[in-house]
Amino acid sequence: MGSSLRHERVGGVQIQNAGTIAGNICNASPAADGIPPLLSLNADIVLASTRGEHAMPLAKFIMGNRKTRCASDEIVTGFRIPKPVHPATSTFLKLGARKYLVISIVMVAAVIENDNGNIGAGRIAVGSCSAAAKCLHMLERSLAGQPIAAGIGDLVTKDHLNQLSPIDDVRGSADYRRDVALTLVRRALEDLVADA
Ligand SMILES: Cc1cc2nc3c(=O)[nH]c(=O)nc-3n(C[C@H](O)[C@H](O)[C@H](O)COP(=O)(O)OP(=O)(O)OC[C@H]3O[C@@H](n4cnc5c(N)ncnc54)[C@H](O)[C@@H]3O)c2cc1C
């Protein structure tokens, strides 16, 4: 799978070296940079305790702002990422007030699978625009079967972002976040078709 995930945009040197993906997910911040990429990869999270091990979709595990389904006696021991059916490319775009060491204003993670020149499957997740990052399922359905070609971003409309519920805060207004999310989703798709 091709990837342009820019790890240097997440945290600073200390977080990049000492922070863990499990900690980032269990912290369940709406702005956790680790969540959209794993959602776009259709990841399951693996939980273990003395009662045994089980897995569930990451989208189910994150219940909201700082809320997860991790029981008090459980730890996260891993993630399971299904192999894509077709060759896939992925990207992660993050807007912050600086290039790194910054809380995201909006972030987008996207994956497309290339089925002989058409999109076999597309998964698009947006973070920092709702209590928990969300996949844009309506958009994902419209992308399936579309030719992998420049201009794909034009398919994305404001309605595709209806699932998001951004808030106004010190980093940006809800309207600004909606606008940025639309731009980043379009840009992510254009980047992916250029790479595919
Ligand atoms: C200076 C700074 C910059 C930052 N920048 C960013 C950023 O750019 N992007 C971003 O997304 N985040 C950022 N963060 C937040 C940071 O990434 C997360 O807090 C970090 O990923 C947590 O990782 P950790 O392994 O240190 O978890 P911890 O802080 O140790 O744990 C976080 C929570 O998860 C629980 N936990 C940890 N591991 C497990 C496990 N295996 N199973 C169950 N529960 C577990 C802990 O009990 C705790 O409740 C930043 C934080 C700081 C201090």
Side-chain angles (χ1 to χ4, degrees):
M1 177 180 291
S3 173
S4 57
L5 175 66
R6 305 274 170 81
H7 73 276
E8 72 270 17
R9 291 187 190 162
V10 177
V13 173
Q14 294 89 343
I15 291 291
Q16 287 163 12
N17 284 286
T20 63
I21 301 285
N24 188 247
I25 303 309
C26 291
N27 203 34
S29 158
D33 287 324
I35 296 176
L38 284 166
L39 287 177
S40 70
L41 292 168
N42 216 5
D44 279 355
I45 190 163
V46 183
L47 298 150
S49 70
T50 53
R51 293 174 286 121
E53 187 184 275
H54 68 113
M56 70 175 83
L58 181 61
K60 184 175 173 194
F61 178 76
I62 309 280
M63 295 169 67
N65 185 2
R66 314 267 174 195
K67 290 196 190 102
T68 71
R69 290 185 201 275
C70 191
S72 56
D73 62 344
E74 285 182 322
I75 58 165
V76 173
T77 53
F79 298 89
R80 289 184 191 146
I81 296 172
K83 273 193 182 167
V85 177
H86 307 287
T89 47
S90 64
T91 191
F92 173 71
L93 300 177
K94 165 174 171 174
L95 177 78
R98 297 177 296 278
K99 276 198 174 163
Y100 72 103
L101 205 52
V102 66
I103 298 174
S104 302
I105 298 168
V106 176
M107 63 191 130
V108 170
V111 174
I112 59 169
E113 294 186 23
N114 184 341
D115 179 10
N116 284 318
N118 293 323
I119 297 182
R123 288 180 298 278
I124 320 289
V126 179
S128 289
C129 282
S130 33
K134 290 206 165 144
C135 282
L136 303 180
H137 295 301
M138 200 171 77
L139 173 60
E140 292 172 355
R141 282 194 293 273
S142 343
L143 287 173
Q146 293 292 335
I148 295 182
I152 188 96
D154 296 342
L155 285 178
V156 190
T157 66
K158 285 183 180 175
D159 286 349
H160 286 126
L161 276 62
N162 278 349
Q163 279 167 270
L164 306 177
S165 46
I167 56 164
D168 296 316
D169 71 6
V170 287
R171 286 183 290 282
S173 66
D175 285 346
Y176 178 65
R177 284 192 157 95
R178 269 198 201 89
D179 211 38
V180 171
L182 184 62
T183 301
L184 289 191
V185 170
R186 287 176 169 160
R187 195 174 292 167
L189 287 171
E190 293 294 350
D191 287 354
L192 289 181
V193 299
D195 282 355

